[in-house]
């Protein structure tokens, strides 16, 4: 979106941007071959994990496609051709080029077209599955990929690139937890009473929790109930005197209604059983599995020594045959666990922030204040929980960040950027400093720019992290090129880790620089992982930015918007 001149002038009048040198920003480096890079967690000892998205040169398998008889593909090509005409650009490939001339490996437009087409058919098991997001581990040299469950492809060189991959938390000695999906395998299937084989892409499970040692040893945390693969995810981990404690969620059974549908219809006659089951998992709002918060206890060798399943805040009634869910998202050194659970309010079910303690599930958000959903995302060692809750504000559902002090049993929703700004808290350190993100674009009512914030309990003031950065680059003339879009983690040294956006030369799906029809280089906003370190300095007033700068920064976006199918979640805000 471009700001109109009047809007930009009003903005400059309302608030002159105060920026400073009280924090130093450093890029953490990224994975070679990926456009976007993010942080998901940081340990006190400096272990950093994250993810990268927008992989270049995703492998495309066309061997199973009948290019002479695929109406979906033909329709997609016609649409692409029309879009090219709208921008006065000539399309550079045909379907025959893809089928017979290796265009997906030699023509970036053809490759991008096939990636877009396959992404659009992500729920159709007769087409290859792709995921452009990978888990990463940072070091002083940058970041490297951490493979979770993906495997080498039988159809092309390299991994299948068909799995979800997410690392959520890391301990002081570098042990990581997260979750991933099984790789899709190309499988032949023949319908009952038919002779012609069909090709389907199928997988063994949707989600599986995993623990990985610093030197790469992997341990799956499988659910006890694993029919049709089951479900598990690991969201947080702490180191203990005897090993580790990991929290997350597991499937406990299949709810009555979806089980009836599966029993009646997933018989393997017209479609593969696993494909049918996954279709029902997508159909039901809460999925097919009943899921419960869980704590795994592991010894120092990562052997599971105990598994504790937690319950729900809401008690299912006899006629409620759909899935119920709770999820543990964070744990501190005192063993306090925070997360979410289905709760009942005025005979309606909601998913709300809770804590799990002494076998009980405790709500702490007052729903009489119209809060209708939310999550507890982090907890410090002083038993202060942070997260978000949502309510209708000015006719639209908005999230607001909170902190809950267990010792005083009090909840505070601090004032954020403005009354209808959505905000959420991602982390809190033991100094009582909360970090997160909030909407700053007051003029746009739909997709709004988000910027990272810092909030210190007791000071009652949200500080935009961009106001704590330099006005200019080192030359003293060029505007500072970074906008902090999200503050993801903060350690006890008050170092903040998160995501910033910056404008760079635009690249295609091969990683080549893109030019327009006149040969001019195009530009785009990308996400980069950053570290913000406190330094001596003072806040200085920066001149109002020119309108072009606002246009450029309007490309800033929340990093999670980049997570494509099959990614549906990320630490910890997006855990279901």
């Amino acid at each position: 979106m471009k700001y109109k001149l009047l809007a930009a002038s009003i903005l400059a009048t309302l608030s002159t941007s105060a920026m400073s040198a009280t924090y130093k920003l450093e890029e953490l480096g990224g994975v070679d071959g990926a456009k976007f890079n993010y942080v998901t967690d940081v340990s006190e000892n400096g272990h950093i994990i994250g993810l990268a998205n927008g992989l270049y040169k995703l492998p495309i398998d066309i061997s199973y496609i009948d290019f002479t008889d695929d109406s979906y593909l033909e329709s997609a090509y016609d649409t692409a051709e029309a879009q090219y005409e709208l921008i006065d650009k000539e399309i550079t490939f045909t379907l025959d080029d893809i089928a017979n001339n290796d265009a997906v490996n030699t023509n970036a437009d053809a490759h991008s077209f096939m990636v877009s087409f396959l992404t659009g058919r992500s729920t159709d098991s007769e087409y290859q599955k792709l995921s452009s997001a990978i888990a990463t581990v940072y070091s002083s040299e940058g970041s490297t990929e951490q493979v979770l469950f993906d495997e080498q492809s039988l159809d092309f060189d390299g991994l299948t690139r068909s799995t979800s991959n997410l690392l959520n938390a890391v301990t002081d000695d570098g042990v990581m937890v997260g979750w991933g999906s099984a790789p899709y395998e190309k499988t032949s299937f023949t319908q009952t009473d038919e002779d012609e084989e069909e090709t389907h892409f199928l997988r063994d499970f949707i989600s599986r929790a995993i623990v990985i040692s610093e030197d790469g040893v992997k341990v799956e945390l499988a659910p006890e109930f694993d029919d049709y693969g089951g479900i598990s995810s690991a969201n947080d981990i702490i180191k203990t005197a005897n090993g580790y404690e990991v929290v997350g969620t597991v499937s406990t059974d299949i709810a009555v209604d979806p089980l009836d549908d599966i029993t009646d219809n997933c018989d393997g006659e017209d479609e593969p059983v696993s494909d049918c089951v996954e279709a029902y998992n997508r159909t039901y709002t809460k999925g097919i599995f009943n899921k419960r918060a869980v704590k795994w206890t592991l010894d120092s060798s990562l052997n599971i020594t105990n598994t504790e399943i937690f319950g729900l805040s809401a008690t299912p009634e006899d006629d409620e045959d759909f899935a119920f869910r709770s999820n543990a998202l964070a744990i501190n050194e005192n063993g306090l666990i925070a997360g979410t659970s289905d709760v009942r309010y005025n005979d309606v079910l909601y998913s709300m922030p809770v804590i799990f303690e002494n076998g009980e599930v405790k709500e702490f958000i007052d729903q009489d204040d119209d809060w209708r959903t939310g999550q507890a995302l982090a907890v410090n060692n002083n038993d202060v929980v942070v997260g978000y809750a949502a309510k209708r504000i000015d006719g639209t559902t908005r999230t607001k960040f909170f902190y809950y002090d267990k010792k005083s049993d009090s909840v505070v929703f601090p004032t954020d950027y403005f009354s209808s700004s959505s905000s959420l808290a991602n982390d809190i350190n033991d100094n009582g400093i909360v970090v997160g993100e909030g909407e700053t674009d007051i003029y746009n009512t739909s997709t709004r720019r988000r910027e990272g914030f810092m909030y210190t309990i007791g000071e009652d003031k949200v500080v935009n992290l961009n106001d704590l950065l330099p006005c200019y680059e080192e030359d003293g003339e060029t505007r500072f090129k970074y906008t902090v879009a999200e503050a993801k983690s903060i350690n006890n040294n008050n170092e903040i880790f998160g995501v910033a956006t910056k404008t760079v030369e635009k690249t295609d799906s091969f990683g080549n620089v893109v030019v327009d029809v006149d040969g001019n280089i195009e530009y785009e906003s990308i996400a980069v992982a950053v570290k913000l370190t406190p330094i001596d300095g003072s806040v200085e007033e920066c001149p109002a930015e020119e309108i072009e700068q606002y246009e450029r920064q309007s490309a800033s976006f929340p990093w999670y918007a980049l997570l494509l199918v099959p990614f549906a979640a990320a630490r910890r805000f997006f855990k279901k």
Side-chain angles (χ1 to χ4, degrees):
M1 166 196 166
K2 291 186 177 181
Y3 285 93
K4 294 181 179 179
L5 176 60
L6 177 60
S9 300
I10 294 174
L11 183 61
T13 302
L14 289 177
S15 175
T16 300
S17 177
M19 305 187 76
S20 72
T22 59
Y23 265 86
K24 178 181 69 173
L25 184 149
E26 304 170 81
E27 266 194 62
L28 296 176
V31 172
D32 289 337
K35 182 177 290 190
F36 309 105
N37 291 273
Y38 315 94
V39 171
T40 54
D41 194 32
V42 180
S43 76
E44 288 296 325
N45 287 348
H47 298 90
I48 307 173
I49 57 174
L51 64 91
N53 196 22
L55 292 181
Y56 297 124
K57 298 183 179 179
L58 282 172
I60 306 296
D61 177 14
I62 63 170
S63 63
Y64 64 95
I65 298 177
D66 184 353
F67 281 84
T68 64
D69 187 25
D70 191 319
S71 59
Y72 295 121
L73 193 58
E74 291 171 357
S75 176
Y77 182 82
D78 290 342
T79 299
E81 192 172 27
Q83 291 173 339
Y84 272 70
E85 290 178 357
L86 287 175
I87 59 174
D88 295 325
K89 184 177 179 181
E90 183 179 353
I91 196 165
T92 59
F93 64 92
T94 65
L95 291 181
D96 182 69
D97 289 331
I98 296 175
N100 300 305
N101 298 324
D102 196 31
V104 291
N105 293 313
T106 59
N107 184 313
D109 290 341
H111 180 267
S112 180
F113 165 78
M114 285 302 299
V115 170
S116 177
F117 171 73
L118 293 171
T119 301
R121 306 300 302 173
S122 62
T123 61
D124 188 338
S125 69
E126 294 187 49
Y127 291 92
Q128 179 191 3
K129 299 294 170 281
L130 292 174
S131 173
S132 67
I134 59 175
T136 58
V137 178
Y138 287 87
S139 68
S140 58
E141 288 77 35
S143 65
T144 56
E145 178 177 7
Q146 173 61 65
V147 178
L148 303 186
F149 295 104
D150 207 353
E151 298 175 352
Q152 295 295 310
S153 172
L154 299 177
D155 300 295
F156 44 77
D157 292 336
L159 300 169
T160 70
R161 295 299 181 203
S162 64
T163 58
S164 299
N165 312 277
L166 191 62
L167 291 174
N168 288 321
V170 59
T171 64
D172 287 345
D173 60 349
V175 177
M176 304 168 282
V177 297
W179 65 269
S181 62
Y184 283 90
E185 297 181 5
K186 186 191 292 185
T187 307
S188 295
F189 172 78
T190 304
Q191 296 185 31
T192 302
D193 300 327
E194 296 286 342
D195 296 326
E196 186 176 350
E197 282 190 345
E198 301 172 349
T199 296
H200 287 260
F201 292 83
L202 309 174
R203 60 182 175 180
D204 293 334
F205 55 81
I206 298 171
S207 172
R208 184 71 78 247
I210 191 169
V211 181
I212 306 174
S213 69
E214 186 176 21
D215 56 2
V217 176
K218 301 178 185 178
V219 177
E220 290 186 34
L221 302 177
E224 184 175 338
F225 180 84
D226 62 357
D227 290 12
Y228 307 111
I231 291 284
S232 67
S233 67
N235 303 325
D236 201 8
I237 181 173
I238 59 166
K239 192 178 187 319
T240 65
N242 300 315
Y244 306 90
E245 290 182 343
V246 178
V247 296
T249 190
V250 290
S251 54
T252 55
D253 58 10
I254 296 177
V256 174
D257 280 351
L259 182 59
D260 288 343
D261 283 334
I262 290 169
T263 301
D264 292 342
N265 301 306
C266 297
D267 53 15
E269 293 186 0
D270 298 321
E271 60 185 331
V273 172
S274 64
D275 182 33
C276 178
V277 171
E278 286 211 26
Y280 278 116
N281 192 61
R282 292 189 298 269
T283 299
Y284 283 90
T285 302
K286 296 184 178 181
I288 62 174
F289 296 102
N290 283 308
K291 297 188 281 287
R292 298 292 183 267
V294 62
K295 181 178 76 173
W296 292 279
T297 302
L298 287 70
D299 63 21
S300 57
S301 299
L302 303 185
N303 300 303
I304 300 173
T305 60
N306 187 56
T307 302
E308 182 179 0
I309 305 294
F310 300 101
L312 299 161
S313 178
T315 301
E317 298 179 354
D318 291 340
D319 61 345
E320 292 177 325
D321 295 331
F322 46 81
F324 279 73
R325 303 173 297 177
S326 63
N327 194 359
L329 298 175
I331 182 172
N332 69 6
E333 293 177 358
N334 305 320
L336 180 63
I337 299 170
T340 64
S341 173
D342 288 333
V343 307
R344 198 181 301 276
Y345 176 75
N346 289 340
D347 294 324
V348 180
L349 289 170
Y350 302 94
S351 180
M352 293 294 293
V354 297
I355 57 173
F356 302 91
E357 189 177 39
N358 300 323
E360 297 182 350
V361 184
K362 178 183 176 181
E363 303 170 41
F364 53 83
I365 300 289
D366 185 358
Q367 289 191 262
D368 287 338
D369 291 335
D370 297 324
W371 301 107
R372 292 297 178 261
T373 188
Q375 297 190 70
L377 303 178
V379 55
N380 70 7
N381 292 317
N382 299 314
D383 292 346
V384 179
V385 177
V386 298
Y388 76 93
K391 64 162 62 174
R392 299 283 290 182
I393 298 175
D394 295 341
T396 302
T397 299
R398 302 291 186 190
T399 65
K400 292 293 183 179
F401 86 93
F402 69 79
Y403 68 88
Y404 165 66
D405 188 336
K406 177 179 174 295
K407 294 175 183 177
S408 62
D409 194 29
S410 60
V411 178
V412 175
F413 284 88
T415 301
D416 52 12
Y417 287 136
F418 53 90
S419 62
S420 66
S421 167
S422 282
S423 61
L424 62 98
N426 287 315
D427 200 13
I428 179 172
N429 67 7
D430 293 340
N431 304 321
I433 300 178
V434 181
V435 293
E437 62 178 281
E439 293 175 337
T440 58
D441 186 355
I442 194 171
Y443 298 105
N444 197 350
T445 57
S446 54
T447 302
R448 288 171 160 179
R449 183 175 66 254
R450 290 174 177 251
E451 297 184 17
F453 70 75
M454 176 173 65
Y455 172 87
T456 302
I457 293 176
E459 295 185 3
D460 197 29
K461 180 183 179 182
V462 166
V463 178
N464 189 322
L465 290 173
N466 294 293
D467 291 346
L468 307 180
L469 298 174
C471 300
Y472 298 99
E473 295 293 331
E474 293 183 359
D475 62 10
E477 297 180 357
T478 306
R479 281 283 187 175
F480 194 64
K481 63 184 175 183
Y482 298 96
T483 299
V484 177
E486 177 188 272
K488 194 64 181 176
S489 182
I490 182 170
N491 62 24
N492 289 331
N493 293 324
N494 298 340
E495 295 170 329
I496 300 169
F497 300 80
V499 179
T501 60
K502 68 175 183 178
T503 299
V504 298
E505 293 180 345
K506 186 176 182 179
T507 52
D508 60 28
S509 63
F510 283 174
N512 302 317
V513 175
V514 175
V515 297
D516 62 21
V517 292
D518 297 320
N520 300 312
I521 293 176
E522 296 185 5
Y523 293 84
E524 64 183 341
S525 184
I526 65 166
V528 295
V530 296
K531 173 183 178 181
L532 277 64
T533 304
I535 59 174
D536 292 333
S538 59
V539 174
E540 298 176 356
E541 294 293 324
C542 296
E545 299 178 69
E546 297 177 359
I547 295 175
E548 289 79 10
Q549 179 75 357
Y550 280 106
E551 292 177 356
R552 182 166 64 87
Q553 287 198 354
S554 69
S556 299
F557 42 78
W559 67 266
Y560 52 80
L562 296 167
L563 298 182
L564 304 178
V565 175
F567 247 162
R571 181 194 186 264
R572 295 170 178 150
F573 174 43
F574 299 96
K575 283 292 189 299
K576 298 295 181 185

